[in-house]
Amino acid sequence: MIKKVLIALTHGGLNSVAEFPYLLEQAGIEVTFIGENRLKCSIGRGYSHWITSSNNADEIITDIAKLFMANDHAYDWVILGQDSLLRALYNSPITINLKTRIGPIGNAHHISILGSKCNNAQFCGRNDIPVPPFSVCNTLEEIHAAARAIGFPVIVKVDHSVASDGTFKCTSPDDIALHSPLFRGTRFLVEKFIAGEQIRLDPLYLNGKLIACSAGIVTETVNDGFGVATRRKAHATAPYEAMLNKLGAGLELNGFMSMGLLRDTQTGEVYLFEIDCRPNPWPPYGKFIGADFTAALKDYYSNPSFSNIPYLSIDNGAMITILWRDLPYIMRKAKIGHLLGWLTNRHKCWRLIPWHDPRLLIYWMMQICCKGFGFISKKISAPTR
């Protein structure tokens, strides 16, 4: 029987899932999108059906719930493409059973983890998963007290914030006071700052079982610090397999996830600092570092006794980047060496271009050109001193 996946998205999450239809289609999975019709031109090949909805996350979740209330077996699993959809699912008035059926967390006791940095840390702390020393706070006074107890420097995170938005490094009480006007919300995570390399994991779970995972050491980010990665160096997943299995079984995870680790430069200890219950755009590139998600899905669905070794990335020295994310960063930062790398196929980067999907490639190049012209116009119009 053909497996069916429903991918939900709004305009803000287009690129994160743009290559997933092809990955899934190659595994023999039928893909349906739900979202605004105007988004069709931004998604490449690989999907079979499109269900018209709105660009509002709450309305999309309501429409998905109606599909499952009409037929609980309409889709084998659902991919919620961005944080706004996870928040909408958590806040939706639908039943908890429906939330676990639609969402990436199958354990009803832990549904509150969706999008919550505080609940993520607390779950890990209770289950002996190493995380940086932390405290959950509700007021500015509690933030100050937690930072003193943990020891500066600390990271203050606004709960339910996205990516680097709402994340602040504070090296002193003065820094906390400086950033406090931006502490919007009523719940905060104060976490010990860990100096070291960032490792990103992109696991795929089905019914709580780890099927595949790619991993990469972040070498460059959009904001040269916090924020989304533009480049990664291939990294082996095997050292983290036990932790990944514990998370999958405990939360009954289902679908593509993204997790962040930090390796302390001084001690070598590794800490989990983020569980993101939605996909990042990296899994389609896993095949270049030993984690072929398409092959893993084929194996899982064709072999009912699939219970042994998941498809895990290896440290083969490969540099992985994403065209639509890397080129605008290169232009903004004027990194001529990186641009020459693309032009000369350094690191075999041409294989990372979606040649199989001309429509998607054209859409990405249009985006890149628009951003490039924007950077140039700003440079030209900027006043000279």
Side-chain angles (χ1 to χ4, degrees):
M1 182 182 293
I2 296 176
K3 299 299 178 180
K4 298 181 179 181
V5 170
L6 179 67
I7 301 179
L9 77 163
T10 64
H11 191 271
L14 277 174
N15 285 337
S16 292
V17 297
E19 292 187 87
F20 279 80
Y22 182 75
L23 182 157
L24 296 167
E25 180 198 44
Q26 294 298 296
I29 296 171
E30 182 180 289
V31 177
T32 298
F33 270 101
I34 181 167
E36 272 192 316
N37 273 339
R38 69 188 180 98
L39 302 181
K40 284 184 181 180
C41 63
S42 309
I43 296 295
R45 58 179 289 195
Y47 70 91
S48 302
H49 307 287
W50 190 283
I51 298 174
T52 302
S53 186
S54 77
N55 197 49
N56 180 277
D58 295 320
E59 293 177 13
I60 291 175
I61 293 298
T62 299
D63 288 343
I64 295 173
K66 289 177 181 176
L67 291 173
F68 278 88
M69 285 188 285
N71 178 8
D72 186 56
H73 301 289
Y75 300 95
D76 293 281
W77 44 297
V78 179
I79 297 175
L80 301 178
Q82 59 224 105
D83 291 304
S84 61
L85 290 165
L86 294 175
R87 284 195 300 272
L89 176 66
Y90 177 67
N91 294 322
S92 172
I94 63 177
T95 66
I96 192 70
N97 287 338
L98 204 48
K99 288 182 180 182
T100 57
R101 179 70 179 88
I102 294 171
I105 296 178
N107 189 323
H109 297 294
H110 300 302
I111 199 76
S112 63
I113 284 177
L114 286 175
S116 171
K117 300 179 187 300
C118 296
N119 293 343
N120 278 343
Q122 289 175 325
F123 172 83
C124 291
R126 289 193 301 266
N127 289 275
D128 299 321
I129 295 170
V131 292
F134 72 91
S135 180
V136 174
C137 304
N138 299 106
T139 65
L140 184 59
E141 290 73 21
E142 289 180 4
I143 292 173
H144 277 285
R148 288 194 299 270
I150 293 171
F152 288 99
V154 297
I155 301 292
V156 179
K157 300 178 180 179
V158 179
D159 203 23
H160 293 286
S161 56
V162 179
S164 60
D165 294 336
T167 299
F168 308 91
K169 180 182 177 182
C170 300
T171 59
S172 67
D174 289 341
D175 279 351
I176 294 176
L178 176 67
H179 294 304
S180 61
L182 301 176
F183 294 170
R184 298 186 178 92
T186 57
R187 203 162 181 241
F188 310 90
L189 181 69
V190 179
E191 197 173 70
K192 179 66 178 176
F193 173 76
I194 304 296
E197 64 184 2
Q198 184 183 158
I199 302 164
R200 298 298 308 192
L201 305 177
D202 297 293
L204 167 63
Y205 295 93
L206 291 177
N207 300 314
K209 177 169 180 55
L210 179 66
I211 304 302
C213 183
S214 61
I217 297 173
V218 175
T219 58
E220 294 188 56
T221 62
V222 169
N223 298 321
D224 296 330
F226 299 126
V228 296
T230 59
R231 296 190 169 210
R232 296 182 181 180
K233 179 183 177 294
H235 189 61
T237 302
Y240 319 110
E241 187 176 357
M243 179 197 70
L244 290 167
N245 286 331
K246 181 185 284 190
L247 287 168
L251 297 173
E252 297 176 28
L253 295 174
N254 200 54
F256 293 95
M257 310 288 156
S258 177
M259 301 178 186
L261 305 174
L262 288 168
R263 179 185 285 130
D264 192 310
T265 301
Q266 293 184 331
T267 66
E269 294 292 322
V270 176
Y271 301 93
L272 178 71
F273 73 91
E274 181 179 58
I275 304 172
D276 216 348
C277 296
R278 60 168 178 81
N280 268 347
W282 299 91
Y285 305 92
K287 60 187 177 183
F288 301 115
I289 56 175
D292 190 327
F293 287 80
T294 294
L297 285 164
K298 282 182 179 179
D299 193 1
Y300 178 83
Y301 282 125
S302 64
N303 182 6
S305 63
F306 182 96
S307 59
N308 296 318
I309 302 173
Y311 288 62
L312 304 178
S313 62
I314 59 174
D315 182 2
N316 63 3
M319 187 279 292
I320 303 296
T321 187
I322 301 173
L323 182 71
W324 61 265
R325 187 178 280 180
D326 196 48
L327 283 184
Y329 164 76
I330 288 171
M331 290 186 284
R332 182 164 59 87
K333 295 291 186 178
K335 290 184 172 285
I336 304 302
H338 286 5
L339 181 58
L340 289 174
W342 275 104
L343 295 175
T344 59
N345 195 26
R346 190 188 306 156
H347 305 300
K348 299 180 181 178
C349 60
W350 289 358
R351 64 180 177 168
L352 308 176
I353 299 172
W355 303 110
H356 60 272
D357 196 336
R359 187 170 73 174
L360 178 62
L361 180 55
I362 290 170
Y363 173 72
W364 280 0
M365 293 310 298
M366 290 173 61
Q367 277 191 319
I368 292 165
C369 289
C370 288
K371 289 180 179 179
F373 287 134
F375 297 145
I376 293 170
S377 63
K378 284 182 180 179
K379 289 282 187 182
I380 293 173
S381 60
T384 56
R385 298 194 177 192

